[in-house]
Amino acid sequence: QVQLQESGPGLVKPSETLSLTCTVSGGSISSFYWSWIRQPAGKGLEWIGRLYTSGNSDYNPSLKSRVTMSGDTSKNQFSLRLSSVTAADTAVYYCARDRKEAAGYGLDVWGQGTTVTVS
Amino acid sequence: QSALTQPASVSGSPGQSITISCTGTSSDVGSYNLVSWYQQHPGKAPKLMIFEVNKRPSGVSNRFFGSKSGNTASLTISGLQAEDEADYYCCSYAGSYTFDVFGGGTKLTVL
């Protein structure tokens, strides 16, 4: 079955860029859409953005100016970059798969999450 | 402040039924039959329990039931079990500018 694994630095300095990678096994990133979601400690989920099979992306309007997502089909990975981070970006970051090649139909496979602290 | 409003907590005894509400607007819940629900146990990743308002992924118990009326979606869990104790989040598609919006989450306690 499809499995997702997030990886990247656990500690990022303020004003720098957070970079995370999601490695997909058991499936291809050339199929389905792929999302990033984050969750500050003790708080709710926040959708960050979605990577489409075309290579294009859409982002949460509140983060759009700082977010970039991309995919590497040769490595079957997709990535998240969040620039100019502050303490408010400290959270557990999850990658997830959209059930369909369409937005809003549910995220059916999730990575285990990776904690990123901005300090 | 979350885009969708959920009660902070609900509780019920084993065997009982509970309902968690998720209130949005005519721009999200009210406009699309694209509401999903996620269950999250402490320290774990969320798990998809309901998609497209009332559909269950394979393997999810039929004790979980989703519905929608107007701008409010609901998740009903019948025959409560201890393992149902978790946080529950709703999520709605909100169009091609806002995309996916989550609720603030509801902590379910099984007494």
Side-chain angles (χ1 to χ4, degrees):
Chain A
Q1 72 279 22
V2 176
Q3 293 185 318
L4 309 182
Q5 178 68 59
E6 304 90 348
S7 60
L11 183 63
V12 181
K13 290 181 168 56
S15 80
E16 295 190 344
T17 296
L18 177 162
S19 295
L20 296 175
T21 296
C22 182
T23 300
V24 179
S25 57
S28 170
I29 68 164
S30 298
S31 303
F32 298 97
Y33 291 171
W34 305 90
S35 287
W36 286 97
I37 303 94
R38 70 180 182 178
Q39 184 175 35
K43 297 188 178 180
L45 300 168
E46 180 181 33
W47 180 79
I48 299 172
R50 175 175 285 113
L51 178 69
Y52 301 109
T53 51
S54 63
N56 295 329
S57 302
D58 278 315
Y59 307 122
N60 185 321
S62 68
L63 299 171
K64 186 174 183 177
S65 63
R66 299 193 292 130
V67 175
T68 304
M69 293 176 61
S70 61
D72 185 337
T73 55
S74 67
K75 295 181 179 179
N76 217 31
Q77 297 174 332
F78 62 102
S79 64
L80 169 71
R81 289 173 57 86
L82 181 65
S83 64
S84 305
V85 296
T86 69
D89 296 309
T90 294
V92 175
Y93 285 74
Y94 294 100
C95 57
R97 185 185 78 170
D98 283 88
R99 290 185 52 252
K100 298 174 66 170
E101 289 192 22
Y105 286 82
L107 301 165
D108 65 343
V109 182
W110 292 65
Q112 65 184 27
T114 188
T115 300
V116 178
T117 301
V118 178
S119 177
Chain B
Q1 184 173 355
S2 300
L4 305 180
T5 300
Q6 299 180 232
S9 63
V10 298
S11 62
S13 300
Q16 288 186 333
S17 295
I18 62 93
T19 296
I20 299 171
S21 62
C22 170
T23 301
T25 70
S26 58
S27 297
D28 39 63
V29 176
S31 285
Y32 304 95
N33 288 325
L34 295 176
V35 177
S36 50
W37 289 89
Y38 300 87
Q39 176 191 65
Q40 186 180 36
H41 287 109
K44 300 296 186 181
K47 175 186 176 182
L48 180 65
M49 303 301 284
I50 296 287
F51 63 92
E52 295 178 48
V53 175
N54 56 15
K55 298 178 182 178
R56 284 185 304 274
S58 174
V60 172
S61 170
N62 59 9
R63 298 185 297 106
F64 291 83
F65 176 78
S67 61
K68 190 187 90 167
S69 177
N71 295 338
T72 298
S74 298
L75 174 69
T76 298
I77 308 173
S78 60
L80 271 179
Q81 299 179 1
E83 67 225 43
D84 300 332
E85 185 164 293
D87 293 326
Y88 291 85
Y89 293 91
C90 63
C91 182
S92 175
Y93 182 68
S96 58
Y97 176 74
T98 309
F99 301 101
D100 296 28
V101 290
F102 281 95
T106 298
K107 181 177 179 58
L108 169 62
T109 300
V110 180
L111 302 171

